Amino acid sequence: MTAETAAADLGTISRLTREWFVEHGRDLPWRQDGFGAWGILVSEIMLQQTPVVRVIPRLEQWLERWPTPASLASAAPGDAVRAWERLGYPRRALNLHAAATAITEHHGGVVPEDVPTLLALPGIGDYTARAVAAFAYGHRHPVVDTNVRRVIARAVLGQGEAGPPSTKRDLAAMEELLPRDLDAARATNAAVMELGALVCTARKPLCDECPIKQLCQWRAAGYPAYEGKRQATQKRFEGSDRQVRGLILAELRASDVPVTTDEIAQVWPDADQRERALSGLLTDGLAVQVDSEYELP
DNA sequence: TAGCCGTGGTC
DNA sequence: TGACCAAGGCT
């Protein structure tokens, strides 16, 4: 295949995916016109490693309570952790509060537009910075999440799985899929992501329904099994320190007053694990000690 | 960079 | 039923 043909195919992949998106993309809250940069930022933080269906109700409550960065910044960090409820990875709530504070104090209460400034905010990494710049402000940046990585691996590279993160490779590939036009570029980012979420899924991809199956390199190769490296498998959660942290934090969230070590001892039998978990929560700022008791910050 | 960080749903 | 997966970030 010549370079020209390849470039043309990338353009076709991009266009077909956008056309599919217009027809099949979900009407998610953060995609509505005028949703606002703050709402999009909050949604992106909440969506980190967390399914859409669990984010939507929490996001709506969050934005009703804290409609601006300044409003969240004026709350206690612990209120953010409590309002996070059971979304998981509660340090995200703490980071979001810290980001709101930085935005209020250093950026005039307005969510920054450019990737480097966004990256400097706590809890905002490469994906989230690009997503906010692209979706909230319409900047032309490749946005690469786990869905996009999978689509690129399959459709462009002909591999069954994305394997371990390969940021440079995937950013370059996504960059090539982005049209010059700003609106079309933003739509492409959303469309490829959505294709990975709804059709080109991790387990049972719906290849028959795929708008770019004719151009998919993985399909053309006969769906070879993935042979490359894989991401390390997650450790078992049941009985882990992570579980203990979660249980202790749930105890702190549920209480209006500081919690005693005796009360914490009720949530988990193993004292060593309790100490490790509690110490970790203190280090992370998710808990603070008052005399011999503990509470949210 | 590999390991850690929650929680719940799926097959 | 247990492993896998989910719009990642940080160290």
Side-chain angles (χ1 to χ4, degrees):
Chain A
M1 182 184 294
T2 67
E4 223 168 75
T5 315
D9 283 347
L10 290 176
T12 309
I13 286 176
S14 178
R15 178 177 55 80
L16 290 175
T17 306
R18 283 198 304 280
E19 289 172 0
W20 168 86
F21 181 66
V22 169
E23 188 74 16
H24 299 281
R26 293 166 292 180
D27 186 22
L28 299 171
W30 44 90
R31 289 183 181 152
Q32 292 166 9
D33 284 341
F35 195 70
W38 170 240
I40 289 177
L41 172 55
V42 174
S43 77
E44 292 297 349
I45 302 276
M46 287 186 171
L47 286 163
Q48 292 168 2
Q49 296 287 283
T50 307
V52 165
V53 288
R54 289 177 52 203
V55 164
I56 290 176
R58 187 73 45 246
L59 175 68
E60 286 174 353
Q61 292 182 7
W62 189 281
L63 292 176
E64 194 170 324
R65 180 170 180 183
W66 295 304
T68 62
S71 59
L72 176 57
S74 70
D79 288 346
V81 174
R82 195 170 267 119
W84 200 253
E85 297 192 3
R86 304 182 61 79
L87 264 189
Y89 293 143
R91 59 175 59 167
R92 290 183 295 169
L94 218 48
N95 284 334
L96 185 50
H97 180 274
T101 303
I103 291 169
T104 304
E105 292 179 356
H106 305 306
H107 304 290
V110 179
V111 175
E113 277 200 44
D114 61 289
V115 171
T117 309
L118 286 161
L119 272 177
L121 297 173
I124 296 191
D126 200 52
Y127 162 75
T128 305
R130 290 166 174 281
V132 170
F135 297 137
Y137 293 112
H139 292 306
R140 187 183 175 283
H141 296 295
V143 179
V144 175
D145 73 333
T146 184
N147 294 304
V148 172
R149 280 168 37 69
R150 190 169 50 247
V151 172
I152 288 173
R154 289 176 178 162
V156 179
L157 304 174
Q159 303 174 1
E161 297 177 26
S166 47
T167 311
K168 284 185 74 174
R169 182 193 76 184
D170 294 323
L171 281 176
M174 193 59 196
E175 164 70 34
E176 290 197 62
L177 285 177
L178 294 188
R180 302 309 307 174
D181 179 77
L182 291 181
D183 287 335
R186 170 162 51 179
T188 303
N189 277 316
V192 175
M193 201 178 296
E194 190 78 336
L195 187 69
L198 298 185
V199 174
C200 194
T201 56
R203 296 188 192 171
K204 285 187 180 174
L206 306 173
C207 297
D208 288 344
E209 304 174 21
C210 182
I212 57 172
K213 60 184 172 189
Q214 254 81 325
L215 297 168
C216 178
Q217 295 303 117
W218 189 41
R219 177 174 183 265
Y223 301 117
Y226 180 69
E227 304 284 358
K229 281 189 182 173
R230 308 193 170 207
Q231 307 214 50
T233 57
Q234 261 183 33
K235 268 187 149 179
R236 176 189 181 83
F237 179 70
E238 201 65 29
S240 68
D241 287 1
R242 299 165 76 174
Q243 183 181 24
V244 182
R245 279 174 58 114
L247 290 171
I248 294 176
L249 196 61
E251 187 75 15
L252 299 187
R253 274 201 311 262
S255 176
D256 290 334
V257 295
V259 173
T260 67
T261 49
D262 282 349
E263 288 168 323
I264 291 175
Q266 308 287 319
V267 309
W268 195 257
D270 185 306
D272 287 342
Q273 251 185 314
R274 281 202 312 270
E275 280 187 30
R276 275 203 305 276
L278 185 53
S279 152
L281 289 171
L282 292 168
T283 300
D284 292 347
L286 283 164
V288 294
Q289 184 170 4
V290 212
D291 300 324
S292 60
E293 301 178 327
Y294 302 90
E295 62 182 355
L296 294 179

